[in-house]
Amino acid sequence: MRTQMGIIGAGPAGLLLSRLLALQGIDSVVLENRSREYVEARIRAGILEQNTVDVLTGAGMGDRLHREGLEHRGVYLQYPGVRHQLDFPALCGRRVWVYGQTEVVKDLVAAQLAGGPPLLFDVSDVAVEDVDTDSPRVRFTDADGAARVLECDVVAGTDGFHGPSRAVVAEGTGQQLWERTYPYAWLGILADAAPATDELIYAWHPDGFALHSMRSPSVSRLYLQVDPSERIEDWSDDRIWEGLATRFALDGWELSTGTVTEKSILPMRSFVSAPMRRGRLFLAGDAAHIVPPTGAKGLNLAVADVVLLSRAVVRLLQDKETDLADAYSDTALRRVWRATHFSWWMTSMLHTTGDPFDAQLQLSQLRRVCSSEAAARELAENYTGLPL
Ligand code: APR
Ligand code: PHB
């Protein structure tokens, strides 16, 4: 098999990259080691920056997003006795959309299978070779157990945090890694409950952080800060609803409850690896960086990476110019570090540590964001996404 771009991983990064390249006349093959059902069922965050919506729309992926996505003008920040609304259009002229990453992936898979470039699920033993030459290749075993070789001009490692691509970059470069593991986790639920709020609520509470998000007018997505050692079996639905009601409590407001359809505990970490390139192998998305979920930057960063990467690959393969490919890693990493700082800052402001000094600093920061237009604008610009 031969293709211009071999793409490892059918998460949002790999799928969108394949689509952006196809629109520019560059062919690709996407290799995914999981099944279509698995990839389409993974529940992830659900906030799209304006940039992300613009890119998806430009790629012809905006139909259902514009029909079913919920346009949000801001968020609420809450601490005991106060629920303050930040108005993003007034602060920075931009807004965000609530549309689950799961839905983005379903839309991309459907488009790919309806006449897009080949997308192979259930492959195994994916290995990248000869990335320091102009003709790298990817070896893999297909779903029928046959050994295959994909000859490429360029390879994209969009295989997420656990994929094999990052290690290949590490072997040939002086790879640097930065990592922070946070001493808290999120317990997340999906519930058949009409959200009792028009915008997301980020709540600081002495018992810990809570986030009220949503997926549709009838489905709520809710999170509670818990200790990373907690086991989901120890959290009955009643215990979760009680924790949420306590942390979101506000006079005259009531949480809507309903059947819990999914619950899990998510670890929180920041991770950045550089460079994002070795020769003809380019990393994008979670393969190169992870942010904690506070601020919902993960998917948006993956989209920003593949926009840059698609431009670099078009220039490399069609114009035979290496400038954008050479600049890719540094350009992408500048945005990655901005989002890494923002997610770390939101996380640090909102999650209780048990230390009373930390609590006073957090409350002071929250009061500042809720009273100073300059401080609120800084949050709004980062949350809605800086220009690509
Ligand atoms: N071979 C083929 N595919 C692989 C391999 C492998 N050896 N290892 C991993 N993959 C696949 C995974 O199964 C997954 O479908 O690569 C894909 C990577 O997708 P994501 O983890 O969704 O990463 P990415 O596309 O970069 O999207 C980033 O996902 O994790 C969230 O918060 C993150 O929202 C962000 C987004
Ligand atoms: C979500 O809806 O899953 C979500 C929203 C906002 C966040 C994180 C997750 O900051």
Side-chain angles (χ1 to χ4, degrees):
M1 268 173 112
R2 222 215 102 72
T3 187
Q4 288 175 289
M5 181 112 201
I7 299 179
I8 307 172
L15 291 167
L16 180 61
L17 177 62
S18 176
R19 178 139 192 111
L20 292 174
L21 291 173
L23 292 170
Q24 299 286 321
I26 294 198
D27 61 77
S28 62
V29 173
V30 183
L31 302 174
E32 166 62 47
N33 66 347
R34 302 284 192 160
S35 66
R36 178 179 182 184
E37 295 68 36
Y38 182 92
V39 165
E40 292 191 341
R42 258 187 313 223
I43 296 171
R44 298 267 177 81
I47 297 292
L48 307 186
E49 294 175 1
Q50 176 118 36
N51 298 314
T52 298
V53 170
D54 293 347
V55 170
L56 289 171
T57 307
M61 292 289 96
D63 289 358
R64 198 160 69 93
L65 162 57
H66 287 283
R67 225 171 33 245
E68 296 175 18
L70 309 172
E71 188 177 329
H72 277 199
R73 299 176 47 91
V75 295
Y76 294 100
L77 287 182
Q78 177 167 334
Y79 48 96
V82 175
R83 182 176 292 173
H84 178 84
Q85 186 168 29
L86 296 179
D87 178 345
F88 294 156
L91 288 163
C92 67
R94 294 202 293 275
R95 57 200 70 213
V96 294
W97 273 257
V98 171
Y99 189 67
Q101 179 174 321
T102 312
E103 307 311 313
V104 173
V105 167
K106 281 186 205 158
D107 294 346
L108 286 164
V109 168
Q112 194 92 2
L113 295 179
L119 163 56
L120 280 59
F121 289 104
D122 302 301
V123 308
S124 48
D125 309 324
V126 171
V128 194
E129 292 176 359
D130 283 349
V131 299
D132 298 319
T133 72
D134 288 349
S135 41
R137 80 183 63 79
V138 185
R139 288 185 194 278
F140 65 100
T141 304
D142 70 18
D144 301 322
R148 308 274 293 265
V149 182
L150 182 62
E151 304 284 348
C152 314
D153 295 325
V154 186
V155 177
T158 51
D159 44 1
F161 185 68
H162 301 287
S165 298
R166 191 172 59 252
V168 178
V169 172
E171 280 164 29
T173 60
Q175 189 182 44
Q176 276 189 289
L177 304 177
W178 296 266
E179 187 162 17
R180 169 131 331 158
T181 307
Y182 299 90
Y184 13 78
W186 279 14
L187 187 164
I189 63 166
L190 265 181
D192 289 332
T197 176
D198 54 343
E199 313 275 19
L200 272 59
I201 308 169
Y202 288 84
W204 183 98
H205 187 275
D207 291 356
F209 169 69
L211 171 61
H212 195 321
S213 182
M214 60 196 76
R215 286 293 176 272
S216 74
S218 57
V219 175
S220 295
R221 175 81 170 144
L222 297 141
Y223 299 98
L224 278 178
Q225 174 189 345
V226 297
D227 192 88
S229 64
E230 290 284 343
R231 296 173 338 144
I232 195 72
E233 301 77 50
D234 295 331
W235 286 82
S236 66
D237 293 358
D238 285 348
R239 183 178 175 203
I240 295 171
W241 287 120
E242 244 167 67
L244 290 166
T246 303
R247 296 184 197 188
F248 289 122
L250 190 74
D251 278 348
W253 183 86
E254 211 173 316
L255 180 68
S256 336
T257 61
T259 306
V260 174
T261 55
E262 197 270 345
K263 60 178 166 182
S264 56
I265 292 182
L266 330 165
M268 298 181 72
R269 80 166 116 217
S270 295
F271 172 86
V272 180
S273 101
M276 288 170 62
R277 172 199 186 183
R278 170 181 165 194
R280 289 277 178 126
L281 171 63
F282 294 81
L283 302 180
D286 276 19
H289 42 75
I290 298 277
V291 288
T294 333
K297 286 291 151 209
L299 169 64
N300 295 294
L301 266 188
V303 168
D305 285 353
V306 299
V307 168
L308 279 180
L309 181 52
S310 65
R311 288 180 194 152
V313 169
V314 169
R315 189 136 168 93
L316 185 67
L317 299 185
Q318 289 178 350
D319 307 335
K320 313 288 179 218
E321 292 288 348
T322 61
D323 54 346
L324 296 185
D326 291 341
Y328 169 71
S329 179
D330 287 347
T331 311
L333 283 164
R334 271 198 294 278
R335 188 181 190 87
V336 168
W337 276 112
R338 178 89 299 283
T340 299
H341 175 268
F342 177 66
S343 327
W344 163 84
W345 176 77
M346 285 280 280
T347 300
S348 310
M349 175 169 72
L350 290 163
H351 293 73
T352 51
T353 62
D355 179 333
F357 185 80
D358 287 343
Q360 292 306 322
L361 291 180
Q362 292 170 332
L363 288 167
S364 173
Q365 178 74 77
L366 281 161
R367 283 192 295 267
R368 173 79 185 153
V369 175
C370 297
S371 61
S372 151
E373 195 175 310
R377 179 169 301 123
E378 176 63 9
L379 188 155
E381 286 184 358
N382 282 279
Y383 194 97
T384 57
L386 297 161
L388 284 177

